[in-house]
Amino acid sequence: MPKIVDHEARRADLARALWSVVRRDGVNAASIRAVAAEAGWTYGSVAHYFKTRDEMLLFAYRLAFSREREHFPVGNDQLDALDRLVGVLLRALPVDEASTIDFQIWLAFMGRVADDPSLAESVRQEHDLFHDDVRVLVEEAVAAGFLGPEHGVEALVDTVVTFVNGLGVVAALDPKHHGPEQLERKLRDFLSKFTPTSHAVNRRRARS
């Protein structure tokens, strides 16, 4: 009887090997040959699953992204709407070892998308999913009074996602001054600019 091979499980094994290479040697070292050596596979075996390095990197990035989305905090009554939004935005930033690796891979894609329209389309699909996740949480934050409806939900989502992308690049360039606490503070300071006027006034009165 022929052996049944779980191809997705084997791809996941290769993704973990890729993450190990990136963690140790950086994303530029994550070639098919290096990942094969890390996983204890032959080059040909890896090439059976991934024809190009970009394809392998994209799979690893998508796998990490899908696992993060499994913990999407909608309906979590233990956190208020603003905390849920901040939590999701923080996971898109290099705040720990795993998210730093994911962000390094994302940056590598950004350097490639101008030359490869198909890769750009693949990355855009993930970006759109993140955009949709943020929209859900922004709508909750507006309904709860943390963000002002006068700004428009879609405009808020675009602004927030753009800010997070830029903040991630800055954090990657200067990780020493952009640890998890600093990044969370910058996120909350940024979001506070969109607090409803009445909410801000009431908060000032409460402190006085």
Side-chain angles (χ1 to χ4, degrees), residues 81-102:
L82 184 63
D83 287 340
R84 288 196 293 272
L85 175 59
V86 170
V88 165
L89 297 177
L90 273 175
R91 286 205 297 271
L93 296 170
V95 293
D96 55 26
E97 185 177 67
S99 60
T100 296
I101 291 173
D102 294 341

Side-chain angles (χ1 to χ4, degrees), residues 60-184:
Y61 177 72
R62 282 179 165 171
L63 181 62
F65 184 74
S66 66
R67 289 178 177 176
E68 285 295 336
R69 294 188 84 229
E70 291 176 358
H71 302 288
F72 190 62
V74 172
N76 186 340
D77 295 332
Q78 296 179 345
L79 298 173
D80 63 35
L82 184 63
D83 287 340
R84 288 196 293 272
L85 175 59
V86 170
V88 165
L89 297 177
L90 273 175
R91 286 205 297 271
L93 296 170
V95 293
D96 55 26
E97 185 177 67
S99 60
T100 296
I101 291 173
D102 294 341
F103 200 82
Q104 288 174 336
I105 293 174
W106 181 81
L107 283 177
F109 284 142
M110 294 304 101
R112 293 278 294 113
V113 294
D115 299 324
D116 189 338
S118 63
L119 183 61
E121 176 62 21
S122 296
V123 175
R124 189 183 66 79
Q125 291 173 11
E126 308 308 311
H127 182 272
D128 287 348
L129 286 173
F130 178 63
H131 196 279
D132 291 342
D133 289 344
V134 174
R135 181 188 295 108
V136 170
L137 295 171
V138 165
E139 289 173 345
E140 288 187 355
V142 169
F146 290 105
L147 300 176
E150 67 272 14
H151 302 289
V153 168
E154 201 58 39
L156 275 173
V157 174
D158 287 340
T159 301
V160 168
V161 170
T162 300
F163 176 78
V164 169
N165 288 339
L167 183 58
V169 172
V170 172
L173 291 172
D174 185 17
K176 181 178 179 181
H177 297 101
H178 292 85
E181 292 182 1
Q182 291 92 336
L183 289 171
E184 181 172 354

Side-chain angles (χ1 to χ4, degrees), residues 29-42:
S31 64
I32 290 180
R33 194 172 301 281
V35 171
E38 185 71 23
W41 292 28
T42 65

